[in-house]
């Protein structure tokens, strides 16, 4: 079922961003003009399958902002989107690598757009990630509880300071057998690793 109205109140955000997009635009703008619309079409199809709404692009025009009523839908969509992008028949020049975050919080919805610290926190968590990586907040992890989507696991990456936030965020990496597992250290202001 395709959702036409964006959810309000407490919502789950999936933020995406193309890793290295400035370099890609500088090196091969013609390829990016073709690859980015393909990426957007794939993301819109995935969002619709998981009852999500693509609100609008964020940042420099190569990132997306998708909202869901439920945390499980946001995590499932993130995994589905990474798998769909990996399966796309990109040429080496066209291949786009996405970094993603999923966070849930209370927001204000005005004129079809979202406002509040939860939006900013979702964007800051995304900024920690590397291409191909999906990060979720501790809020999302707690909402998932014991009901992780099929074939999905979580890796506790510890507490991380986020720019402009006084409280650190415990961040988890989403694991799936068909997604990369190993990434460099997160790009946080400082990291307090998990002691497990």
């Amino acid at each position: 079922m395709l959702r036409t109205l964006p959810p309000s109140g407490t919502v789950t955000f999936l933020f995406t961003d193309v890793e290295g997009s400035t370099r890609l635009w500088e090196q091969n703008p013609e390829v990016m003009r073709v690859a980015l619309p393909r990426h957007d079409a794939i993301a819109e199809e995935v969002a619709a399958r998981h009852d999500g709404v693509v609100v609008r692009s964020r940042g420099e025009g190569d990132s997306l902002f998708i909202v869901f009523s439920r945390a499980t839908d946001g995590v499932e969509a993130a995994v589905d989107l990474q798998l769909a992008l990996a399966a796309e028949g990109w040429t080496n020049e066209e291949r786009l690598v996405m970094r993603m975050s999923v966070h849930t919080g209370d927001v204000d919805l005005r004129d079809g757009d979202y406002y509040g610290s939860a939006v900013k926190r979702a964007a800051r968590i995304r900024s920690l990630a590397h291409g191909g990586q999906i990060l979720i907040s501790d809020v999302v992890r707690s909402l998932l509880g014991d009901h992780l989507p099929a074939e999905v696991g979580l890796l506790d990456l510890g507490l991380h300071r986020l720019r402009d936030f006084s409280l650190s965020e415990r961040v988890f990496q989403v694991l799936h057998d068909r997604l990369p597992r190993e990434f460099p250290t997160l790009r946080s202001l400082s990291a307090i690793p998990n002691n497990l």
Side-chain angles (χ1 to χ4, degrees):
M1 176 176 153
L2 179 62
R3 175 187 285 276
T4 56
L5 296 174
S8 59
T10 303
V11 299
T12 296
F13 302 102
L14 166 56
F15 275 32
T16 75
D17 186 46
V18 177
E19 185 175 59
S21 63
T22 302
R23 176 182 44 79
L24 294 171
W25 276 108
E26 285 288 314
Q27 290 176 350
N28 207 334
E30 293 304 317
V31 168
M32 285 297 282
R33 285 187 188 102
V34 172
L36 205 51
R38 282 171 60 199
H39 158 271
D40 293 349
I42 292 167
E44 288 177 12
E45 289 172 17
V46 168
R49 279 199 303 267
H50 295 279
D51 202 24
V53 177
V54 177
V55 177
R56 67 181 175 90
S57 60
R58 278 273 185 214
E60 300 77 40
D62 56 25
S63 52
L64 291 178
F65 179 13
I66 307 170
V67 290
F68 304 85
S69 295
R70 299 177 340 136
T72 52
D73 292 336
V75 173
E76 288 173 350
V79 171
D80 194 5
L81 181 53
Q82 288 286 24
L83 292 172
L85 290 169
E88 182 67 13
W90 307 106
T91 66
N92 283 340
E93 291 94 17
E94 292 173 332
R95 185 172 178 266
L96 301 180
V97 182
M98 304 301 296
R99 55 188 182 150
M100 300 181 185
S101 69
V102 182
H103 177 61
T104 301
D106 295 330
V107 292
D108 293 328
L109 177 61
R110 293 192 317 268
D111 299 323
D113 203 358
Y114 291 91
Y115 299 88
S117 66
V119 176
K120 301 296 184 188
R121 186 169 286 271
R124 296 295 188 265
I125 295 169
R126 178 192 60 196
S127 71
L128 303 176
H130 297 276
Q133 192 171 36
I134 304 168
L135 300 179
I136 67 169
S137 66
D138 195 32
V139 172
V140 172
R141 184 217 40 89
S142 66
L143 289 170
L144 293 175
D146 295 329
H147 305 289
L148 287 174
E151 303 179 31
V152 168
L154 298 176
L155 176 63
D156 186 344
L157 299 178
L159 289 170
H160 295 268
R161 281 185 46 228
L162 305 175
R163 185 169 52 90
D164 301 327
F165 282 92
S166 56
L167 297 177
S168 296
E169 178 71 46
R170 183 166 296 280
V171 176
F172 296 81
Q173 178 180 316
V174 174
L175 304 176
H176 188 280
D177 286 345
R178 292 187 289 146
L179 294 176
R181 183 184 174 106
E182 301 297 323
F183 295 96
T185 303
L186 296 184
R187 300 169 167 141
S188 63
L189 298 175
S190 67
I192 305 167
N194 179 16
N195 59 3
L196 294 178

